[in-house]
Every structure is written in C-alpha cells, then in structure tokens.
C-alpha cells in the first residue's frame, strides 16, 4: 500500500468524488453544490488528505479561531478503504495540529452510527445539561 498524507487541499474533482463515494454529501442539512462544499473546505483552518498513489481515499478538515476552539468537519473515507484505520489517522492528524497550536477545545458533530468510533478516540458526549445545539435555517 502506497498511502501518503498531505495537508494540501485536494483537487476539486478528487474531493467531489470522495464526498459522493463516502455518502457524506447525502447527510448534509440543506442543499449545497459540490462547488460550495469544496469552497467550504478551501475556507477551512486546516485539512488533511490521505492518498493511495494519486487517488484521494480519506479527508478531514477543521475550522478554528487558531487560539482555543476548533471544530472537526467532513471526515470521510472511501468505502473501499474503510476499516483500515484511515479515519483514525485523519482524526489523530487533526488533533495533533490542535495540540501544536495550543488549542485545547475540539468539538465535532458525529454522523449517525459513528459515535463509538469517536468514543474510542477519546471524544466524549456533552453533559445532558449542557447539550450541543444547532439551528437549521
């Protein structure tokens, strides 16, 4: 396996193919084009990509103020490459970036069915009397 990691943004075509293959695009609230989702990735504070030769097989990104808060977004792994530790590797790379930047608070919204995956990596659910909340408009 010839996997390599990059903190450079992948090409639009690669990003769009992975977004579609991973099923992440279907879980988005609202209707966004692939171009808009790519622009969101471009606007991120940090992103990490894993490639098998030239094929993008895993991706994750964060938005942050660069000081004390970060939000992990859009962690996706090509279904043909799941169960190989690539999602874990993406999260570890994102957390390492936070540690080296002094960020101590990392948030994320988990896709349905992925809660245990994040628990294994040390993430905890918010307290019941301090829930995470969202507003969809």
């Amino acid at each position: 396996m010839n996997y390599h990691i990059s903190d450079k943004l992948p090409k639009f075509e690669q990003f769009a193919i992975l977004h579609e293959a991973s099923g992440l695009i279907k879980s988005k609230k609202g209707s966004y084009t692939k171009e808009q989702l790519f622009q969101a990735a471009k606007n991120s504070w940090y992103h990490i990509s894993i490639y098998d030769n030239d094929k993008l097989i895993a991706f994750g990104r964060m938005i942050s103020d660069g000081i004390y808060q970060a939000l992990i977004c859009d962690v996706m792994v090509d279904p043909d490459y799941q169960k190989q530790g690539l999602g874990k590797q993406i999260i570890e790379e994102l957390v390492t970036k936070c540690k080296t930047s002094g960020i101590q608070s990392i948030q994320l919204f988990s896709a349905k069915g992925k809660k245990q995956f994040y628990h294994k990596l040390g993430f905890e659910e918010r307290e019941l009397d301090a829930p995470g909340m969202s507003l969809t408009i």
Side-chain angles (χ1 to χ4, degrees):
M1 292 181 227
N2 192 19
Y3 299 165
H4 65 277
I5 298 174
S6 174
D7 63 358
K8 305 286 186 250
L9 190 67
K11 295 176 185 172
F12 169 75
E13 296 79 16
Q14 295 169 311
F15 179 84
I17 289 168
L18 180 59
H19 221 292
E20 186 75 35
S22 71
L24 189 61
I25 197 164
K26 294 175 188 165
S27 69
K28 298 282 185 225
K29 293 183 179 178
S31 55
Y32 299 98
T33 66
K34 292 175 184 178
E35 291 79 11
Q36 288 172 314
L37 295 172
F38 186 68
Q39 185 63 46
K42 283 174 73 173
N43 291 342
S44 297
W45 177 67
Y46 187 72
H47 35 74
I48 197 80
S49 303
I50 301 178
Y51 295 87
D52 181 359
N53 292 307
D54 292 330
K55 180 181 180 180
L56 179 66
I57 58 172
F59 177 85
R61 68 184 184 96
M62 290 188 299
I63 55 178
S64 178
D65 55 25
I67 305 296
Y68 78 101
Q69 291 279 355
L71 174 68
I72 293 176
C73 306
D74 299 339
V75 175
M76 49 188 161
V77 178
D78 185 304
D80 293 337
Y81 292 85
Q82 290 179 357
K83 307 289 187 203
Q84 296 183 32
L86 298 175
K88 177 182 178 186
Q89 192 171 0
I90 290 286
I91 295 297
E92 288 173 346
E93 292 286 337
L94 296 174
V95 169
T96 296
K97 175 65 175 176
C98 288
K99 286 179 181 177
T100 60
S101 299
I103 294 172
Q104 299 174 22
S105 179
I106 305 170
Q107 310 297 317
L108 64 80
F109 294 102
S110 172
K112 287 182 183 178
K114 299 296 182 183
K115 182 168 72 169
Q116 285 307 113
F117 169 76
Y118 291 108
H119 272 276
K120 289 179 187 177
L121 297 174
F123 287 83
E124 300 175 357
E125 293 177 66
R126 291 181 56 110
E127 297 174 15
L128 290 178
D129 63 350
M133 305 184 84
S134 66
L135 172 65
T136 302
I137 52 173

